[in-house]
Each structure stands twice: as C-alpha cells, then as structure tokens.
Amino acid sequence: TSMLLTPLVRGLLGWEGDAPHDRVRLVPHLPALWDTLAVERLPVASGRYTVRFEKSDSMLVADVRRTTGAGVDTLVFEPALPIGSRVDLVLANGKTANCGSQDTGADVHLACRFPLHDHLHLEVHYAPGWEVVLPPPAPARGERSRSLKLVSQRLVGDTLVLAVEGL
C-alpha cells in the first residue's frame, strides 16, 4: 500500500510535514477531471488532519481540519492552478488573504502562509486557464498502452503548446 499512498500524499496532494519548523506544506496538483477529493488521517507531528478539496473551472476550495493531537502552527499553501489562470481573490476563513502567485510555465502556483489551528477554510477564486483532458487509456489485458500521452504544456503568448506522444 505504501507504493500507492506515498505518491498520492506527497505527489498529488503535496502534503509534507515539517514538525521541527512547526509547519506543513500543502501543494496539491489535482487532475483536471477531479472536482472533489478528501483525505483523512494525514500525519504531522502529533496531529492528524483531514483535507477536503472542491474544484470548479474558476474556484478551488480547501478545507483543512485537525482531528487529533497538537499538530503544527503553520500551513504553507501552494496549490497548482491551470496554466494561464489569473488569481482574483484568496479567502481564509472568509477573510481576504494576501498571497503571491507564480507562473511556472506548466501551471500557476499560489504562495500562501496561514496560521493553522483546528480548522482552516480556504477559497481561491481565479480566472480560468486551460486544462488538457485526454481520453483514458484502455489497453487490452497484458498489452502496453498506446494511448495519447501529454508530455508537457506551455503558453506562448495566447497559444497553448502541447508536446504529446502516442499519435
């Protein structure tokens, strides 16, 4: 199970505890077709957390709740938004938050830091960007997938440039 859970927690969620510095990083890279995700019992220090996400084409909601233990005091929140997105507003527990953003070339990342108590409700409102959705592969049993694969993407001006394999 660790070969499934570790990539999910560290890669897809970007959940990385740093107990000595009393913080946790949350850097989610949610797939384009996923509109909700909930993960329970995420560990940091002596605490356990539940994280829930809801996503639309113009908003990402993250709900972080400590369920047990003392946990940590700070959340570093750096979600990936679709390439070409523009952040309009970030709310933390209903109050406007000041966050930076960075265009990485492949997506847009927020850069936020919040005090983390028992519960933190975050809303990221943004102008939609582009998300590429490819048909799911359906290889026959024992056969290698020959489906279209997205290798990379980048914006050049107002043009989305894709590198793909499998054509």
Side-chain angles (χ1 to χ4, degrees), residues 124-148:
V124 180
H125 299 263
Y126 56 92
W130 292 273
E131 291 186 283
V132 178
V133 178
L134 299 175
R141 189 175 196 158
E143 189 177 74
R144 291 183 67 144
S145 173
R146 294 188 186 109
S147 297
L148 189 63

mmCIF file with all atom_site columns, all heavy atoms in Angstrom, residues 124-148:
data_model
loop_
_atom_site.group_PDB
_atom_site.id
_atom_site.type_symbol
_atom_site.label_atom_id
_atom_site.label_alt_id
_atom_site.label_comp_id
_atom_site.label_asym_id
_atom_site.label_entity_id
_atom_site.label_seq_id
_atom_site.pdbx_PDB_ins_code
_atom_site.Cartn_x
_atom_site.Cartn_y
_atom_site.Cartn_z
_atom_site.occupancy
_atom_site.B_iso_or_equiv
_atom_site.pdbx_formal_charge
_atom_site.auth_seq_id
_atom_site.auth_comp_id
_atom_site.auth_asym_id
_atom_site.auth_atom_id
_atom_site.pdbx_PDB_model_num
ATOM 1   N N   . VAL A 1 124 ? -9.918  29.866  -3.232  1.00 0.00 ? 124 VAL A N   1
ATOM 2   C CA  . VAL A 1 124 ? -9.100  30.532  -4.240  1.00 0.00 ? 124 VAL A CA  1
ATOM 3   C C   . VAL A 1 124 ? -9.991  30.776  -5.450  1.00 0.00 ? 124 VAL A C   1
ATOM 4   O O   . VAL A 1 124 ? -10.451 29.829  -6.087  1.00 0.00 ? 124 VAL A O   1
ATOM 5   C CB  . VAL A 1 124 ? -7.882  29.682  -4.641  1.00 0.00 ? 124 VAL A CB  1
ATOM 6   C CG1 . VAL A 1 124 ? -7.055  30.403  -5.698  1.00 0.00 ? 124 VAL A CG1 1
ATOM 7   C CG2 . VAL A 1 124 ? -7.041  29.328  -3.426  1.00 0.00 ? 124 VAL A CG2 1
ATOM 8   N N   . HIS A 1 125 ? -10.259 32.041  -5.730  1.00 0.00 ? 125 HIS A N   1
ATOM 9   C CA  . HIS A 1 125 ? -11.078 32.428  -6.885  1.00 0.00 ? 125 HIS A CA  1
ATOM 10  C C   . HIS A 1 125 ? -10.120 32.880  -7.980  1.00 0.00 ? 125 HIS A C   1
ATOM 11  O O   . HIS A 1 125 ? -9.236  33.708  -7.722  1.00 0.00 ? 125 HIS A O   1
ATOM 12  C CB  . HIS A 1 125 ? -12.031 33.567  -6.517  1.00 0.00 ? 125 HIS A CB  1
ATOM 13  C CG  . HIS A 1 125 ? -12.982 33.193  -5.422  1.00 0.00 ? 125 HIS A CG  1
ATOM 14  N ND1 . HIS A 1 125 ? -14.256 32.766  -5.675  1.00 0.00 ? 125 HIS A ND1 1
ATOM 15  C CD2 . HIS A 1 125 ? -12.833 33.170  -4.069  1.00 0.00 ? 125 HIS A CD2 1
ATOM 16  C CE1 . HIS A 1 125 ? -14.866 32.502  -4.531  1.00 0.00 ? 125 HIS A CE1 1
ATOM 17  N NE2 . HIS A 1 125 ? -14.011 32.741  -3.538  1.00 0.00 ? 125 HIS A NE2 1
ATOM 18  N N   . TYR A 1 126 ? -10.314 32.364  -9.199  1.00 0.00 ? 126 TYR A N   1
ATOM 19  C CA  . TYR A 1 126 ? -9.387  32.706  -10.270 1.00 0.00 ? 126 TYR A CA  1
ATOM 20  C C   . TYR A 1 126 ? -10.092 32.727  -11.628 1.00 0.00 ? 126 TYR A C   1
ATOM 21  O O   . TYR A 1 126 ? -11.140 32.105  -11.812 1.00 0.00 ? 126 TYR A O   1
ATOM 22  C CB  . TYR A 1 126 ? -8.204  31.731  -10.312 1.00 0.00 ? 126 TYR A CB  1
ATOM 23  C CG  . TYR A 1 126 ? -8.580  30.272  -10.442 1.00 0.00 ? 126 TYR A CG  1
ATOM 24  C CD1 . TYR A 1 126 ? -8.681  29.669  -11.690 1.00 0.00 ? 126 TYR A CD1 1
ATOM 25  C CD2 . TYR A 1 126 ? -8.827  29.488  -9.319  1.00 0.00 ? 126 TYR A CD2 1
ATOM 26  C CE1 . TYR A 1 126 ? -9.022  28.333  -11.818 1.00 0.00 ? 126 TYR A CE1 1
ATOM 27  C CE2 . TYR A 1 126 ? -9.158  28.155  -9.435  1.00 0.00 ? 126 TYR A CE2 1
ATOM 28  C CZ  . TYR A 1 126 ? -9.253  27.582  -10.695 1.00 0.00 ? 126 TYR A CZ  1
ATOM 29  O OH  . TYR A 1 126 ? -9.592  26.260  -10.810 1.00 0.00 ? 126 TYR A OH  1
ATOM 30  N N   . ALA A 1 127 ? -9.507  33.494  -12.549 1.00 0.00 ? 127 ALA A N   1
ATOM 31  C CA  . ALA A 1 127 ? -9.974  33.488  -13.930 1.00 0.00 ? 127 ALA A CA  1
ATOM 32  C C   . ALA A 1 127 ? -9.483  32.177  -14.543 1.00 0.00 ? 127 ALA A C   1
ATOM 33  O O   . ALA A 1 127 ? -8.308  31.822  -14.385 1.00 0.00 ? 127 ALA A O   1
ATOM 34  C CB  . ALA A 1 127 ? -9.409  34.680  -14.687 1.00 0.00 ? 127 ALA A CB  1
ATOM 35  N N   . PRO A 1 128 ? -10.369 31.448  -15.210 1.00 0.00 ? 128 PRO A N   1
ATOM 36  C CA  . PRO A 1 128 ? -9.999  30.119  -15.715 1.00 0.00 ? 128 PRO A CA  1
ATOM 37  C C   . PRO A 1 128 ? -8.812  30.155  -16.672 1.00 0.00 ? 128 PRO A C   1
ATOM 38  O O   . PRO A 1 128 ? -8.613  31.113  -17.413 1.00 0.00 ? 128 PRO A O   1
ATOM 39  C CB  . PRO A 1 128 ? -11.253 29.651  -16.446 1.00 0.00 ? 128 PRO A CB  1
ATOM 40  C CG  . PRO A 1 128 ? -12.360 30.463  -15.897 1.00 0.00 ? 128 PRO A CG  1
ATOM 41  C CD  . PRO A 1 128 ? -11.752 31.785  -15.515 1.00 0.00 ? 128 PRO A CD  1
ATOM 42  N N   . GLY A 1 129 ? -8.055  29.077  -16.621 1.00 0.00 ? 129 GLY A N   1
ATOM 43  C CA  . GLY A 1 129 ? -6.965  28.864  -17.564 1.00 0.00 ? 129 GLY A CA  1
ATOM 44  C C   . GLY A 1 129 ? -7.315  27.666  -18.442 1.00 0.00 ? 129 GLY A C   1
ATOM 45  O O   . GLY A 1 129 ? -8.490  27.432  -18.728 1.00 0.00 ? 129 GLY A O   1
ATOM 46  N N   . TRP A 1 130 ? -6.306  26.906  -18.818 1.00 0.00 ? 130 TRP A N   1
ATOM 47  C CA  . TRP A 1 130 ? -6.517  25.743  -19.676 1.00 0.00 ? 130 TRP A CA  1
ATOM 48  C C   . TRP A 1 130 ? -6.110  24.472  -18.950 1.00 0.00 ? 130 TRP A C   1
ATOM 49  O O   . TRP A 1 130 ? -5.090  24.419  -18.278 1.00 0.00 ? 130 TRP A O   1
ATOM 50  C CB  . TRP A 1 130 ? -5.682  25.849  -20.949 1.00 0.00 ? 130 TRP A CB  1
ATOM 51  C CG  . TRP A 1 130 ? -6.119  26.939  -21.859 1.00 0.00 ? 130 TRP A CG  1
ATOM 52  C CD1 . TRP A 1 130 ? -7.075  26.865  -22.831 1.00 0.00 ? 130 TRP A CD1 1
ATOM 53  C CD2 . TRP A 1 130 ? -5.641  28.278  -21.887 1.00 0.00 ? 130 TRP A CD2 1
ATOM 54  N NE1 . TRP A 1 130 ? -7.208  28.078  -23.458 1.00 0.00 ? 130 TRP A NE1 1
ATOM 55  C CE2 . TRP A 1 130 ? -6.344  28.968  -22.898 1.00 0.00 ? 130 TRP A CE2 1
ATOM 56  C CE3 . TRP A 1 130 ? -4.696  28.981  -21.151 1.00 0.00 ? 130 TRP A CE3 1
ATOM 57  C CZ2 . TRP A 1 130 ? -6.118  30.295  -23.204 1.00 0.00 ? 130 TRP A CZ2 1
ATOM 58  C CZ3 . TRP A 1 130 ? -4.471  30.305  -21.444 1.00 0.00 ? 130 TRP A CZ3 1
ATOM 59  C CH2 . TRP A 1 130 ? -5.176  30.937  -22.456 1.00 0.00 ? 130 TRP A CH2 1
ATOM 60  N N   . GLU A 1 131 ? -6.939  23.444  -19.104 1.00 0.00 ? 131 GLU A N   1
ATOM 61  C CA  . GLU A 1 131 ? -6.617  22.114  -18.605 1.00 0.00 ? 131 GLU A CA  1
ATOM 62  C C   . GLU A 1 131 ? -6.859  21.133  -19.743 1.00 0.00 ? 131 GLU A C   1
ATOM 63  O O   . GLU A 1 131 ? -7.905  21.166  -20.387 1.00 0.00 ? 131 GLU A O   1
ATOM 64  C CB  . GLU A 1 131 ? -7.495  21.731  -17.408 1.00 0.00 ? 131 GLU A CB  1
ATOM 65  C CG  . GLU A 1 131 ? -7.187  22.535  -16.168 1.00 0.00 ? 131 GLU A CG  1
ATOM 66  C CD  . GLU A 1 131 ? -7.953  22.038  -14.958 1.00 0.00 ? 131 GLU A CD  1
ATOM 67  O OE1 . GLU A 1 131 ? -9.148  22.348  -14.868 1.00 0.00 ? 131 GLU A OE1 1
ATOM 68  O OE2 . GLU A 1 131 ? -7.343  21.342  -14.135 1.00 0.00 ? 131 GLU A OE2 1
ATOM 69  N N   . VAL A 1 132 ? -5.887  20.300  -20.005 1.00 0.00 ? 132 VAL A N   1
ATOM 70  C CA  . VAL A 1 132 ? -5.977  19.337  -21.091 1.00 0.00 ? 132 VAL A CA  1
ATOM 71  C C   . VAL A 1 132 ? -6.521  18.029  -20.538 1.00 0.00 ? 132 VAL A C   1
ATOM 72  O O   . VAL A 1 132 ? -6.010  17.496  -19.548 1.00 0.00 ? 132 VAL A O   1
ATOM 73  C CB  . VAL A 1 132 ? -4.597  19.105  -21.741 1.00 0.00 ? 132 VAL A CB  1
ATOM 74  C CG1 . VAL A 1 132 ? -4.667  18.059  -22.838 1.00 0.00 ? 132 VAL A CG1 1
ATOM 75  C CG2 . VAL A 1 132 ? -4.050  20.427  -22.273 1.00 0.00 ? 132 VAL A CG2 1
ATOM 76  N N   . VAL A 1 133 ? -7.578  17.525  -21.173 1.00 0.00 ? 133 VAL A N   1
ATOM 77  C CA  . VAL A 1 133 ? -8.177  16.261  -20.769 1.00 0.00 ? 133 VAL A CA  1
ATOM 78  C C   . VAL A 1 133 ? -8.039  15.285  -21.933 1.00 0.00 ? 133 VAL A C   1
ATOM 79  O O   . VAL A 1 133 ? -8.584  15.525  -23.016 1.00 0.00 ? 133 VAL A O   1
ATOM 80  C CB  . VAL A 1 133 ? -9.674  16.430  -20.400 1.00 0.00 ? 133 VAL A CB  1
ATOM 81  C CG1 . VAL A 1 133 ? -10.281 15.096  -20.029 1.00 0.00 ? 133 VAL A CG1 1
ATOM 82  C CG2 . VAL A 1 133 ? -9.826  17.435  -19.275 1.00 0.00 ? 133 VAL A CG2 1
ATOM 83  N N   . LEU A 1 134 ? -7.280  14.220  -21.705 1.00 0.00 ? 134 LEU A N   1
ATOM 84  C CA  . LEU A 1 134 ? -7.095  13.202  -22.731 1.00 0.00 ? 134 LEU A CA  1
ATOM 85  C C   . LEU A 1 134 ? -8.010  12.021  -22.458 1.00 0.00 ? 134 LEU A C   1
ATOM 86  O O   . LEU A 1 134 ? -8.336  11.739  -21.297 1.00 0.00 ? 134 LEU A O   1
ATOM 87  C CB  . LEU A 1 134 ? -5.632  12.729  -22.734 1.00 0.00 ? 134 LEU A CB  1
ATOM 88  C CG  . LEU A 1 134 ? -4.588  13.806  -23.035 1.00 0.00 ? 134 LEU A CG  1
ATOM 89  C CD1 . LEU A 1 134 ? -3.188  13.244  -22.877 1.00 0.00 ? 134 LEU A CD1 1
ATOM 90  C CD2 . LEU A 1 134 ? -4.783  14.368  -24.427 1.00 0.00 ? 134 LEU A CD2 1
ATOM 91  N N   . PRO A 1 135 ? -8.412  11.298  -23.509 1.00 0.00 ? 135 PRO A N   1
ATOM 92  C CA  . PRO A 1 135 ? -9.244  10.116  -23.275 1.00 0.00 ? 135 PRO A CA  1
ATOM 93  C C   . PRO A 1 135 ? -8.466  9.093   -22.449 1.00 0.00 ? 135 PRO A C   1
ATOM 94  O O   . PRO A 1 135 ? -7.254  8.942   -22.620 1.00 0.00 ? 135 PRO A O   1
ATOM 95  C CB  . PRO A 1 135 ? -9.540  9.590   -24.678 1.00 0.00 ? 135 PRO A CB  1
ATOM 96  C CG  . PRO A 1 135 ? -8.568  10.248  -25.583 1.00 0.00 ? 135 PRO A CG  1
ATOM 97  C CD  . PRO A 1 135 ? -8.096  11.504  -24.911 1.00 0.00 ? 135 PRO A CD  1
ATOM 98  N N   . PRO A 1 136 ? -9.154  8.408   -21.530 1.00 0.00 ? 136 PRO A N   1
ATOM 99  C CA  . PRO A 1 136 ? -8.445  7.428   -20.693 1.00 0.00 ? 136 PRO A CA  1
ATOM 100 C C   . PRO A 1 136 ? -7.960  6.245   -21.530 1.00 0.00 ? 136 PRO A C   1
ATOM 101 O O   . PRO A 1 136 ? -8.635  5.837   -22.478 1.00 0.00 ? 136 PRO A O   1
ATOM 102 C CB  . PRO A 1 136 ? -9.508  6.984   -19.680 1.00 0.00 ? 136 PRO A CB  1
ATOM 103 C CG  . PRO A 1 136 ? -10.807 7.329   -20.306 1.00 0.00 ? 136 PRO A CG  1
ATOM 104 C CD  . PRO A 1 136 ? -10.574 8.480   -21.224 1.00 0.00 ? 136 PRO A CD  1
ATOM 105 N N   . PRO A 1 137 ? -6.777  5.719   -21.195 1.00 0.00 ? 137 PRO A N   1
ATOM 106 C CA  . PRO A 1 137 ? -6.268  4.560   -21.937 1.00 0.00 ? 137 PRO A CA  1
ATOM 107 C C   . PRO A 1 137 ? -7.120  3.333   -21.655 1.00 0.00 ? 137 PRO A C   1
ATOM 108 O O   . PRO A 1 137 ? -7.664  3.182   -20.569 1.00 0.00 ? 137 PRO A O   1
ATOM 109 C CB  . PRO A 1 137 ? -4.844  4.386   -21.404 1.00 0.00 ? 137 PRO A CB  1
ATOM 110 C CG  . PRO A 1 137 ? -4.844  5.058   -20.077 1.00 0.00 ? 137 PRO A CG  1
ATOM 111 C CD  . PRO A 1 137 ? -5.877  6.145   -20.131 1.00 0.00 ? 137 PRO A CD  1
ATOM 112 N N   . ALA A 1 138 ? -7.231  2.461   -22.650 1.00 0.00 ? 138 ALA A N   1
ATOM 113 C CA  . ALA A 1 138 ? -7.987  1.217   -22.487 1.00 0.00 ? 138 ALA A CA  1
ATOM 114 C C   . ALA A 1 138 ? -7.254  0.065   -23.163 1.00 0.00 ? 138 ALA A C   1
ATOM 115 O O   . ALA A 1 138 ? -7.776  -0.571  -24.090 1.00 0.00 ? 138 ALA A O   1
ATOM 116 C CB  . ALA A 1 138 ? -9.392  1.382   -23.068 1.00 0.00 ? 138 ALA A CB  1
ATOM 117 N N   . PRO A 1 139 ? -6.016  -0.233  -22.704 1.00 0.00 ? 139 PRO A N   1
ATOM 118 C CA  . PRO A 1 139 ? -5.289  -1.339  -23.332 1.00 0.00 ? 139 PRO A CA  1
ATOM 119 C C   . PRO A 1 139 ? -5.926  -2.677  -22.958 1.00 0.00 ? 139 PRO A C   1
ATOM 120 O O   . PRO A 1 139 ? -6.534  -2.821  -21.895 1.00 0.00 ? 139 PRO A O   1
ATOM 121 C CB  . PRO A 1 139 ? -3.884  -1.221  -22.750 1.00 0.00 ? 139 PRO A CB  1
ATOM 122 C CG  . PRO A 1 139 ? -4.071  -0.516  -21.455 1.00 0.00 ? 139 PRO A CG  1
ATOM 123 C CD  . PRO A 1 139 ? -5.259  0.392   -21.640 1.00 0.00 ? 139 PRO A CD  1
ATOM 124 N N   . ALA A 1 140 ? -5.799  -3.626  -23.844 1.00 0.00 ? 140 ALA A N   1
ATOM 125 C CA  . ALA A 1 140 ? -6.259  -4.981  -23.543 1.00 0.00 ? 140 ALA A CA  1
ATOM 126 C C   . ALA A 1 140 ? -5.358  -5.561  -22.463 1.00 0.00 ? 140 ALA A C   1
ATOM 127 O O   . ALA A 1 140 ? -4.212  -5.132  -22.280 1.00 0.00 ? 140 ALA A O   1
ATOM 128 C CB  . ALA A 1 140 ? -6.225  -5.838  -24.805 1.00 0.00 ? 140 ALA A CB  1
ATOM 129 N N   . ARG A 1 141 ? -5.864  -6.539  -21.767 1.00 0.00 ? 141 ARG A N   1
ATOM 130 C CA  . ARG A 1 141 ? -5.098  -7.167  -20.683 1.00 0.00 ? 141 ARG A CA  1
ATOM 131 C C   . ARG A 1 141 ? -3.755  -7.669  -21.201 1.00 0.00 ? 141 ARG A C   1
ATOM 132 O O   . ARG A 1 141 ? -3.693  -8.369  -22.202 1.00 0.00 ? 141 ARG A O   1
ATOM 133 C CB  . ARG A 1 141 ? -5.918  -8.306  -20.104 1.00 0.00 ? 141 ARG A CB  1
ATOM 134 C CG  . ARG A 1 141 ? -5.310  -8.863  -18.873 1.00 0.00 ? 141 ARG A CG  1
ATOM 135 C CD  . ARG A 1 141 ? -6.204  -9.907  -18.271 1.00 0.00 ? 141 ARG A CD  1
ATOM 136 N NE  . ARG A 1 141 ? -5.786  -10.144 -16.916 1.00 0.00 ? 141 ARG A NE  1
ATOM 137 C CZ  . ARG A 1 141 ? -6.533  -10.656 -15.998 1.00 0.00 ? 141 ARG A CZ  1
ATOM 138 N NH1 . ARG A 1 141 ? -7.756  -11.000 -16.280 1.00 0.00 ? 141 ARG A NH1 1
ATOM 139 N NH2 . ARG A 1 141 ? -6.071  -10.834 -14.794 1.00 0.00 ? 141 ARG A NH2 1
ATOM 140 N N   . GLY A 1 142 ? -2.681  -7.253  -20.502 1.00 0.00 ? 142 GLY A N   1
ATOM 141 C CA  . GLY A 1 142 ? -1.335  -7.674  -20.862 1.00 0.00 ? 142 GLY A CA  1
ATOM 142 C C   . GLY A 1 142 ? -0.710  -6.850  -21.982 1.00 0.00 ? 142 GLY A C   1
ATOM 143 O O   . GLY A 1 142 ? 0.452   -7.033  -22.309 1.00 0.00 ? 142 GLY A O   1
ATOM 144 N N   . GLU A 1 143 ? -1.451  -5.939  -22.560 1.00 0.00 ? 143 GLU A N   1
ATOM 145 C CA  . GLU A 1 143 ? -0.954  -5.118  -23.657 1.00 0.00 ? 143 GLU A CA  1
ATOM 146 C C   . GLU A 1 143 ? -0.447  -3.778  -23.133 1.00 0.00 ? 143 GLU A C   1
ATOM 147 O O   . GLU A 1 143 ? -0.992  -3.239  -22.179 1.00 0.00 ? 143 GLU A O   1
ATOM 148 C CB  . GLU A 1 143 ? -2.105  -4.892  -24.650 1.00 0.00 ? 143 GLU A CB  1
ATOM 149 C CG  . GLU A 1 143 ? -1.692  -4.234  -25.937 1.00 0.00 ? 143 GLU A CG  1
ATOM 150 C CD  . GLU A 1 143 ? -2.887  -4.115  -26.880 1.00 0.00 ? 143 GLU A CD  1
ATOM 151 O OE1 . GLU A 1 143 ? -3.749  -3.252  -26.632 1.00 0.00 ? 143 GLU A OE1 1
ATOM 152 O OE2 . GLU A 1 143 ? -2.951  -4.905  -27.833 1.00 0.00 ? 143 GLU A OE2 1
ATOM 153 N N   . ARG A 1 144 ? 0.575   -3.238  -23.771 1.00 0.00 ? 144 ARG A N   1
ATOM 154 C CA  . ARG A 1 144 ? 1.083   -1.913  -23.400 1.00 0.00 ? 144 ARG A CA  1
ATOM 155 C C   . ARG A 1 144 ? 0.130   -0.845  -23.911 1.00 0.00 ? 144 ARG A C   1
ATOM 156 O O   . ARG A 1 144 ? -0.464  -0.991  -24.974 1.00 0.00 ? 144 ARG A O   1
ATOM 157 C CB  . ARG A 1 144 ? 2.457   -1.685  -23.998 1.00 0.00 ? 144 ARG A CB  1
ATOM 158 C CG  . ARG A 1 144 ? 3.522   -2.569  -23.375 1.00 0.00 ? 144 ARG A CG  1
ATOM 159 C CD  . ARG A 1 144 ? 4.842   -2.240  -23.971 1.00 0.00 ? 144 ARG A CD  1
ATOM 160 N NE  . ARG A 1 144 ? 5.195   -0.888  -23.552 1.00 0.00 ? 144 ARG A NE  1
ATOM 161 C CZ  . ARG A 1 144 ? 6.410   -0.500  -23.286 1.00 0.00 ? 144 ARG A CZ  1
ATOM 162 N NH1 . ARG A 1 144 ? 7.405   -1.335  -23.408 1.00 0.00 ? 144 ARG A NH1 1
ATOM 163 N NH2 . ARG A 1 144 ? 6.654   0.741   -22.921 1.00 0.00 ? 144 ARG A NH2 1
ATOM 164 N N   . SER A 1 145 ? 0.009   0.218   -23.172 1.00 0.00 ? 145 SER A N   1
ATOM 165 C CA  . SER A 1 145 ? -0.842  1.328   -23.588 1.00 0.00 ? 145 SER A CA  1
ATOM 166 C C   . SER A 1 145 ? -0.217  2.051   -24.777 1.00 0.00 ? 145 SER A C   1
ATOM 167 O O   . SER A 1 145 ? 0.975   2.344   -24.787 1.00 0.00 ? 145 SER A O   1
ATOM 168 C CB  . SER A 1 145 ? -1.038  2.310   -22.434 1.00 0.00 ? 145 SER A CB  1
ATOM 169 O OG  . SER A 1 145 ? -1.712  3.450   -22.892 1.00 0.00 ? 145 SER A OG  1
ATOM 170 N N   . ARG A 1 146 ? -1.017  2.299   -25.787 1.00 0.00 ? 146 ARG A N   1
ATOM 171 C CA  . ARG A 1 146 ? -0.584  3.082   -26.941 1.00 0.00 ? 146 ARG A CA  1
ATOM 172 C C   . ARG A 1 146 ? -1.371  4.394   -27.014 1.00 0.00 ? 146 ARG A C   1
ATOM 173 O O   . ARG A 1 146 ? -1.419  5.033   -28.042 1.00 0.00 ? 146 ARG A O   1
ATOM 174 C CB  . ARG A 1 146 ? -0.803  2.280   -28.219 1.00 0.00 ? 146 ARG A CB  1
ATOM 175 C CG  . ARG A 1 146 ? 0.077   1.060   -28.288 1.00 0.00 ? 146 ARG A CG  1
ATOM 176 C CD  . ARG A 1 146 ? -0.029  0.395   -29.649 1.00 0.00 ? 146 ARG A CD  1
ATOM 177 N NE  . ARG A 1 146 ? 0.713   -0.840  -29.627 1.00 0.00 ? 146 ARG A NE  1
ATOM 178 C CZ  . ARG A 1 146 ? 0.165   -2.038  -29.647 1.00 0.00 ? 146 ARG A CZ  1
ATOM 179 N NH1 . ARG A 1 146 ? -1.136  -2.181  -29.732 1.00 0.00 ? 146 ARG A NH1 1
ATOM 180 N NH2 . ARG A 1 146 ? 0.909   -3.108  -29.616 1.00 0.00 ? 146 ARG A NH2 1
ATOM 181 N N   . SER A 1 147 ? -1.977  4.748   -25.901 1.00 0.00 ? 147 SER A N   1
ATOM 182 C CA  . SER A 1 147 ? -2.826  5.944   -25.856 1.00 0.00 ? 147 SER A CA  1
ATOM 183 C C   . SER A 1 147 ? -2.008  7.216   -25.926 1.00 0.00 ? 147 SER A C   1
ATOM 184 O O   . SER A 1 147 ? -0.811  7.239   -25.636 1.00 0.00 ? 147 SER A O   1
ATOM 185 C CB  . SER A 1 147 ? -3.643  5.964   -24.565 1.00 0.00 ? 147 SER A CB  1
ATOM 186 O OG  . SER A 1 147 ? -4.498  4.862   -24.532 1.00 0.00 ? 147 SER A OG  1
ATOM 187 N N   . LEU A 1 148 ? -2.682  8.275   -26.275 1.00 0.00 ? 148 LEU A N   1
ATOM 188 C CA  . LEU A 1 148 ? -2.076  9.591   -26.323 1.00 0.00 ? 148 LEU A CA  1
ATOM 189 C C   . LEU A 1 148 ? -1.647  10.002  -24.920 1.00 0.00 ? 148 LEU A C   1
ATOM 190 O O   . LEU A 1 148 ? -2.394  9.847   -23.960 1.00 0.00 ? 148 LEU A O   1
ATOM 191 C CB  . LEU A 1 148 ? -3.098  10.589  -26.880 1.00 0.00 ? 148 LEU A CB  1
ATOM 192 C CG  . LEU A 1 148 ? -2.615  11.980  -27.202 1.00 0.00 ? 148 LEU A CG  1
ATOM 193 C CD1 . LEU A 1 148 ? -1.563  11.930  -28.315 1.00 0.00 ? 148 LEU A CD1 1
ATOM 194 C CD2 . LEU A 1 148 ? -3.787  12.842  -27.636 1.00 0.00 ? 148 LEU A CD2 1
#
